[in-house]
Amino acid sequence: MFIPKPGRNSYCGRRDFRPISLTSFLFKTMERLVGRFLRDEILALQSLHPIQHAYQAGKSVETALHQLVVWAEKALDQHDIALGVFLDIEGTFDNTSYDSMGLALTRHRVDQTIVR
């Protein structure tokens, strides 16, 4: 269920509405079960890239930032050129298409029932 955000000139885009979750506990339980299945079964068979920090035990935003700082300090210590590029990815998940998510799940051999 979505309600319009106040003060908008038009209500044509996704960002013009605010979601209200009326999901029952059964759906939330199913979401947790699918998430656990993906972490424990799918990613155990085909792991993510070593520098991927999501969905991996012991890795987080803090470990990703630490790794970045270590790389930058190492480059500076060796008198190499260090370049930092920082992207604001606020809308990444809002703008990710269902097709691209489905393709990624299929590449990881997730059952099509879960993909759908």
Side-chain angles (χ1 to χ4, degrees), residues 34-60:
V34 168
R36 188 174 203 160
F37 170 76
L38 291 174
R39 280 189 307 277
D40 296 348
E41 301 292 328
I42 300 301
L43 295 177
L45 298 174
Q46 184 179 0
S47 61
L48 296 171
H49 194 278
I51 64 171
Q52 170 74 31
H53 285 261
Y55 289 102
Q56 294 194 40
K59 291 188 176 182
S60 64

Side-chain angles (χ1 to χ4, degrees), residues 3-74:
I3 59 170
K5 289 182 179 178
R8 300 289 175 145
N9 292 333
S10 76
Y11 294 97
C12 300
R14 283 188 268 194
R15 294 180 179 262
D16 298 325
F17 296 90
R18 179 175 289 121
I20 296 178
S21 178
L22 299 176
T23 308
S24 69
F25 74 95
L26 290 175
F27 288 123
K28 290 182 182 184
T29 302
M30 185 173 72
E31 180 182 358
R32 282 186 158 183
L33 289 172
V34 168
R36 188 174 203 160
F37 170 76
L38 291 174
R39 280 189 307 277
D40 296 348
E41 301 292 328
I42 300 301
L43 295 177
L45 298 174
Q46 184 179 0
S47 61
L48 296 171
H49 194 278
I51 64 171
Q52 170 74 31
H53 285 261
Y55 289 102
Q56 294 194 40
K59 291 188 176 182
S60 64
V61 171
E62 287 83 12
T63 60
L65 290 172
H66 175 72
Q67 188 174 19
L68 175 68
V69 169
V70 167
W71 286 344
E73 287 176 344
K74 190 175 186 180

Side-chain angles (χ1 to χ4, degrees), residues 3-5 7 9 37 65 76 85 103-104 108 111-112 116:
I3 59 170
K5 289 182 179 178
N9 292 333
F37 170 76
L65 290 172
L76 292 172
V85 177
L103 289 172
H108 278 83
D111 186 272
Q112 286 301 304
R116 282 193 303 271

